[in-house]
Amino acid sequence: MSSSVTFDVVGPVGLISINNPPVNAISHEVRRGLVDVIARGKDSNIKALLIMSSGEMFSAGADIAEFDHPLGEPSFQEVESRIESCALPVVAAIHGLALGGGLELAMACHYRVAHTNARLGLPEITLGIIPGAGGTQRLPRLIGARAAVDMILSGTPISATDAKAKGLVDEIAEGDLRDAALKFCERVLREGLGPGPTCNRTVSDNLDESDISAALAPHARALKGRTTQNLVVEAIKASKLPFSQGLAVEAALARQSLASRESQALRHVFFAERESGKLSGAPANSTQGQPAVIRRVGIVGAGTMGSGIAMAFANAGLEVLLNDYDPAALARSREFLSSTYASSVKRGRIPQEVANERMQRIHSTGALDEVANCDLVIEAVFEDMELKKEVLSKLDFSLPPERLLATNTSTLSVTEIARATAHPERVLGMHFFVPAHASKLLEIVRTDHTSAESLSTAFRVAKLLKKVGVVARDAFGFIGNRMMLDGYWREAEQLLLEGATPAQVDAALEDFGFAMGPQRVSDLGGNDVGTKARAQLFKRESRPDPYFVIADRLTEMGWLGQKTGRGFYLYENGSREAVSDPEVISLIEKLASERGIRRREINDKEIVERCILSLINVGAMVLEEKIAARAADIDVVWTSGYGFPRHLGGPMFYPDTLGLPHALQRIRDYHEKLGHYWRPAALIERLAAENSSFEEWDRRSAAR
Ligand code: CAA
C-alpha cells in the first residue's frame, strides 16, 4: 500500500488518511493509494468511508509538478468515479485548505464536513488551467452555475461558513475534526442517508450571457490578455449536459488549457516564486544557513519607507520598534499610520479591532540604542551614503553580532555601507517597493561578504511578510532597476524623442499586458523621485545618463506628475485620469530637435518590440554578470514588482517562447539601426547559437 494514503478501521468507519507533505498534493502515488484503499470498503464490517488528511491542510490540489508529462493512471476522474459510485456513503473531512483537485476530490465524496478553519477554492485559473477533475461539473450541481462561475473565475478560496451557506459543505465542525467527522458518519448511518452522488444532481439555475458578463466584469483587469476564462465559461455551460458528457467536455477543455502558452507561463512563475526563496547553488537538503527567529523588528528612520516597512511587519503580527531622532518625524509617521489604517477600515479591508491591534504593535522611540533589543534591524533613513554608514556603524556596535542588519536602499552600494561595520557578514540590503506594506516584491541584496545565515533570515522575513524574496548581487540598480533604466524605460524615452507620444507608448505597453505604461508609472511615483534616484545611481557607476532627458526636464520644470497636477500628462482638479498634454508634446519635439533627432511615425508594434527586447537584452547581461543567479529570479522580479504580465511568464521566459535566435536577430537589427546601446548580450548570442533557452541555462546552472 502507498505510504501516502493509509487506512484504519474505526468502528463501522473505514478511515482513509492522505499524508503527502508539505501540502497533501494529490500526486500519482496518492491517486494510486486512494484506489487501493477504496477497494477495502468492500469489507463487510465497514459501513462508511471517511477521507481526511494529516498536516496543515486537506489538500492543495493536483501535483502541479506532474503537469508537464501525461498524468499517470489512475486519473483523477477514475479515482473520483470510484468514490462517487461507492456503495457506502463517503464523507470528506476538510481542514485548512482544500484547493483545486483537493476540493474536486471532496466534491466527488457524498458528504463534506468542514472545520471552521477551512477554506475551499478552485484557484486553477491562476495557473492558466480550468478545474479538470470534475470541478466545473460538480460545483454547479452543488452551488448553482452562477455561484460556480464566480468562484472559479475569482480563484479565491471561500470560508467554511460561506461554503455551508452556498451548499458546498454539509456541516461545519469546531474542535476536533476527526471526532466531529466520525459523529457525522454515525449520523449518516443512523438516519440511513446512504450515498448521495453529486453527479446525480442537476444544476438548479441557468447561466445566460448577462450572468457571464457580470461574472467576468470584476476580474477584467486581472484577466486582461488571458483566455482561460473563456474555457471556464464553456466548461460550466456544459454542466447542463448529462454528467458524463459534461465531464468529457471538461476533459477536452482542460487538455487545451494545460497545453496553452498561458498556462506554461503561469506555472513557470508559480515555481519560480517558490524557487527564488532558496539560495541558488545550495544542495536541496542543506540547511542553507540557519535563519534566526524574528519576533521584534527595529526600523530606523520614520519617513515614508520606514513607516511602510513598519506596517508590513505589524500586519504580519510582529512587534515593531520605529526609531527616528526627530520627534516631528515620529509624530508624522504616527499620523500616516493611523490614517492609512483608518482608510483600510473604511474600505472594509480590515475591521477596526484589527487596525487597533496593528497600530498597537508599532512602538516609537527617539533613542537608537533601544533597537539593540530587536531580532532584526532595518535602516530606512534618507538615501545618503554618509548618513547610512553612520547609522549602520552605530547599530553594529550596539546589536549582538549574530543579528541581521539590513539597509533599505534602492540606489546605494550595500557593500560600501557594510564597510562601516565590523561584521559585514550580517549586513544585506532589503529593497522594499512603494507602498512597502502592500507591494509583493522584496529584493534581497547580497554583498560578497553576506553570510548564508543572513540570507536565510532575509528569506524568512520575506515569507513572514508574504512577499516574494529574490536575491540580487550588489550592483548598479540590482536586478529590477538596472533592467528598467538600461532597458525598458530608457527605450520608452527614446521612442518619445523619435516620434511617439506618452499616450501611445503607455497604451501599447498596457495592451501588451503591463499593468501601467512607463510614463504613467513615472507620473504616479513622481518624476522627481526618478530623477533623484537616477542621479544617485549613475553617480555610483560614475557613468553619464544621457537618456532620461524628458523626465529630467519635467522635474526641472516642477511637473512632477500626479502630485503637482501635471507631468507627462495633465491631471485636472486632482483627478488621477491622465489627459494628453500638447505642451509636453511640444517640449518633446524641442528636446528631439536639440539632439538632431528627426521625429517620425512609430507604430505600436515597434514600441512594444523595442521596450521588451531591450528588457530581455539587459536581463541577459544581468545574468551574465551574476547579478541574478537564475533567469527565473528575473521573471519573479518583473512579474511581482514591475507589472510585467504574469501570463507571459516574465522577461526571460517570454523570449524562450519566441525562440532565442529570433529575439537575437531582432536585437541585432536594432543594434545596426540605433547604435551601441543595443549591443547584444553575449549570453543571448551563446544560447541562440546553441538553439538553447534561458530555462535550459537555469537547469544547467542548477546542475553545476
Ligand atoms: N503541487 C505541487 N507542489 C505544490 C503544490 C501543488 N499543488 N502546492 C504547493 N506545492 C509545493 C510548493 O512548490 C512548495 O514546494 P517547495 O517547498 O519544494 O518549494 C511547497 O509545496 C510549499 O508551498 P508554498 O511555499 O507555496 O507554501 P505556502 O504555505 O506559502 O502556501 C499554498 C501553500 C497556499 C497551498 C500554495 O502552495 C498554493 O497556492 N499552492 C497551489 C494551489 C493550487 O493552485 N492548486 C490547484 C492545483 S491545479 C489542480 O488541482 C488541477 C486540477 O483540476 C486537478
Side-chain angles (χ1 to χ4, degrees):
M1 191 196 293
S2 148
S3 60
S4 51
V5 181
T6 57
F7 188 82
D8 290 296
V9 179
V10 186
V13 177
L15 175 55
I16 296 170
S17 187
I18 301 173
N19 178 22
N20 186 24
V23 295
N24 288 320
I26 315 285
S27 61
H28 185 204
E29 196 192 335
V30 171
R31 295 197 301 280
R32 249 193 337 227
L34 283 167
V35 165
D36 286 348
V37 293
I38 290 161
R40 295 190 50 188
K42 294 202 177 98
D43 180 333
S44 59
N45 294 323
I46 293 174
K47 307 292 181 218
L49 292 176
L50 172 61
I51 303 182
M52 298 186 66
S53 296
S54 48
E56 285 179 14
M57 65 185 77
F58 181 72
S59 169
D63 186 339
I64 305 165
E66 291 178 355
F67 286 1
D68 287 334
H69 310 285
L71 286 191
E73 295 293 329
S75 64
F76 259 93
Q77 285 77 0
E78 173 66 24
V79 177
E80 289 168 351
S81 150
R82 291 196 190 209
I83 292 174
E84 202 160 39
S85 62
C86 186
L88 308 177
V90 187
V91 178
I94 299 166
H95 73 289
L97 290 166
L99 300 179
L103 177 57
E104 291 173 285
L105 184 87
M107 288 194 286
C109 296
H110 305 139
Y111 301 95
R112 283 151 297 282
V113 178
H115 192 269
T116 43
N117 70 13
R119 284 186 303 134
L120 303 87
L122 294 174
E124 282 90 338
I125 193 154
T126 61
L127 297 169
I129 55 178
I130 70 160
T136 64
Q137 305 305 301
R138 291 193 180 88
L139 189 64
R141 283 174 164 77
L142 288 165
I143 69 172
R146 280 188 221 125
V149 84
D150 272 343
M151 193 166 150
I152 298 177
L153 288 177
S154 90
T156 312
I158 59 173
S159 67
T161 329
D162 207 1
K164 171 86 169 53
K166 287 185 156 68
L168 181 53
V169 302
D170 302 282
E171 189 162 292
I172 296 193
E174 284 182 31
D176 189 280
L177 180 63
R178 185 175 183 269
D179 286 352
L182 285 169
K183 279 200 187 99
F184 183 85
C185 290
E186 276 168 26
R187 178 158 81 83
V188 168
L189 294 176
R190 199 174 53 244
E191 295 178 10
L193 299 178
T198 308
C199 64
N200 290 350
R201 300 188 186 201
T202 48
V203 182
S204 57
D205 59 348
N206 286 316
L207 197 61
D208 60 31
E209 290 310 312
S210 64
D211 296 323
I212 294 168
S213 308
L216 286 168
H219 311 295
R221 202 167 155 193
L223 294 172
K224 198 175 88 180
R226 304 242 346 239
T227 54
T228 321
Q229 63 277 25
N230 305 329
L231 306 184
V232 165
V233 169
E234 235 180 287
I236 293 185
K237 279 182 178 166
S239 64
K240 278 285 179 188
L241 299 171
F243 187 72
S244 60
Q245 286 178 31
L247 265 194
V249 172
E250 180 195 84
L253 293 168
R255 275 195 299 277
Q256 190 182 332
S257 67
L258 198 57
S260 68
R261 220 178 242 192
E262 182 171 316
S263 164
Q264 286 163 14
L266 288 165
R267 282 183 277 133
H268 163 75
V269 177
F270 175 86
F271 284 115
E273 284 182 348
R274 272 129 194 106
E275 204 55 30
S276 76
K278 294 171 192 155
L279 213 46
S280 139
N285 58 356
S286 80
T287 59
Q288 304 191 15
Q290 278 303 319
V293 175
I294 310 278
R295 290 191 196 90
R296 195 157 184 260
V297 180
I299 294 161
V300 181
T304 312
M305 248 4 240
S307 307
I309 298 170
M311 281 181 83
F313 281 99
N315 296 356
L318 283 95
E319 291 294 314
V320 178
L321 186 56
L322 185 57
N323 159 264
D324 203 299
Y325 78 96
D326 179 7
L330 284 175
R332 276 195 304 275
S333 165
R334 224 59 237 140
E335 239 166 67
F336 165 79
L337 293 169
S338 67
S339 73
T340 311
Y341 281 130
S343 126
S344 297
V345 172
K346 203 166 149 205
R347 291 180 185 187
R349 293 202 177 131
I350 46 170
Q352 185 62 52
E353 309 83 81
V354 172
N356 296 346
E357 275 166 30
R358 290 178 179 180
M359 195 70 198
Q360 279 157 18
R361 279 192 211 115
I362 304 174
H363 311 274
S364 309
T365 175
L368 186 63
D369 278 0
E370 280 189 34
V371 299
N373 295 328
C374 294
D375 302 311
L376 149 74
V377 179
I378 301 173
E379 162 284 303
V381 300
F382 296 118
E383 288 281 86
D384 177 292
M385 179 57 85
E386 288 318 308
L387 179 60
K388 285 195 187 268
K389 278 178 144 177
E390 189 190 327
V391 171
L392 263 275
S393 135
K394 283 183 182 159
L395 289 170
D396 186 48
F397 183 74
S398 55
L399 208 71
E402 68 285 358
R403 306 229 180 119
L404 183 64
L405 262 178
T407 169
N408 170 62
T409 178
S410 56
T411 58
L412 299 173
S413 159
V414 178
T415 311
E416 181 64 28
I417 296 172
R419 279 203 191 106
T421 71
H423 298 285
E425 71 284 353
R426 49 106 157 236
V427 179
L428 47 72
M430 282 193 185
H431 179 203
F432 285 86
F433 289 74
V434 182
H437 63 283
S439 63
K440 201 174 157 204
L441 176 65
L442 178 65
E443 255 185 321
I444 298 166
V445 186
R446 72 187 296 177
T447 73
D448 290 346
H449 305 287
T450 308
S451 68
E453 284 74 14
S454 301
L455 287 168
S456 268
T457 303
F459 285 136
R460 169 168 285 185
V461 168
K463 187 119 192 157
L464 279 172
L465 300 181
K466 297 199 168 59
K467 294 187 189 294
V468 274
V470 181
V471 172
R473 190 169 66 75
D474 181 29
F476 173 90
F478 314 137
I479 297 174
N481 285 345
R482 160 78 183 279
M483 289 171 66
M484 187 166 76
L485 293 179
D486 277 357
Y488 178 71
W489 228 350
R490 167 194 287 194
E491 205 52 33
E493 279 247 349
Q494 285 304 294
L495 284 156
L496 294 181
L497 290 174
E498 289 175 35
T501 64
Q504 198 192 350
V505 170
D506 284 342
L509 289 161
E510 286 164 17
D511 268 0
F512 174 77
F514 271 93
M516 205 185 259
Q519 268 72 50
R520 292 216 293 135
V521 170
S522 190
D523 270 1
L524 181 67
N527 292 320
D528 55 327
V529 175
T531 296
K532 221 164 107 210
R534 284 191 295 275
Q536 288 268 25
L537 266 167
F538 286 102
K539 197 163 80 188
R540 170 181 180 158
E541 290 288 289
S542 313
R543 76 188 217 194
D545 167 23
Y547 294 101
F548 291 86
V549 287
I550 307 167
D552 289 348
R553 182 62 64 86
L554 292 174
T555 299
E556 268 169 42
M557 291 160 58
W559 295 9
L560 308 183
Q562 284 193 17
K563 61 186 171 190
T564 56
R566 74 188 306 177
F568 280 97
Y569 297 93
L570 278 173
Y571 302 89
E572 280 152 357
N573 308 323
S575 152
R576 289 179 175 203
E577 199 196 330
V579 176
S580 291
D581 184 349
E583 284 189 56
V584 169
I585 312 285
S586 307
L587 173 72
I588 294 172
E589 285 165 355
K590 181 165 163 281
L591 290 170
S593 100
E594 282 168 13
R595 281 157 187 77
I597 299 172
R598 223 161 179 222
R599 285 169 57 83
R600 62 187 167 90
E601 284 273 311
I602 297 183
N603 63 33
D604 291 357
K605 184 166 174 269
E606 179 176 343
I607 293 172
V608 170
E609 191 177 47
R610 282 175 55 178
C611 288
I612 302 304
L613 283 176
S614 62
L615 190 52
I616 294 165
N617 199 32
V618 182
M621 293 176 191
V622 162
L623 268 181
E624 266 169 9
E625 294 165 23
K626 299 193 172 11
I627 295 168
R630 291 173 280 238
D633 286 355
I634 296 179
D635 290 333
V636 172
V637 166
W638 272 79
T639 49
S640 61
Y642 290 81
F644 191 98
R646 204 178 157 89
H647 67 276
L648 297 179
M652 300 286 100
F653 182 87
Y654 181 62
D656 281 356
T657 64
L658 299 177
L660 287 192
H662 169 76
L664 174 63
Q665 188 49 54
R666 296 303 293 142
I667 291 169
R668 282 184 174 146
D669 294 344
Y670 284 120
H671 187 208
E672 224 167 78
K673 249 198 250 166
L674 300 167
H676 75 282
Y677 79 99
W678 271 91
R679 173 183 62 84
L683 183 61
I684 291 203
E685 292 192 314
R686 212 166 70 223
L687 293 176
E690 295 166 1
N691 213 358
S692 183
S693 62
F694 287 115
E695 200 172 18
E696 177 59 29
W697 192 83
D698 272 2
R699 257 199 301 276
R700 275 193 247 147
S701 311
R704 273 201 286 272

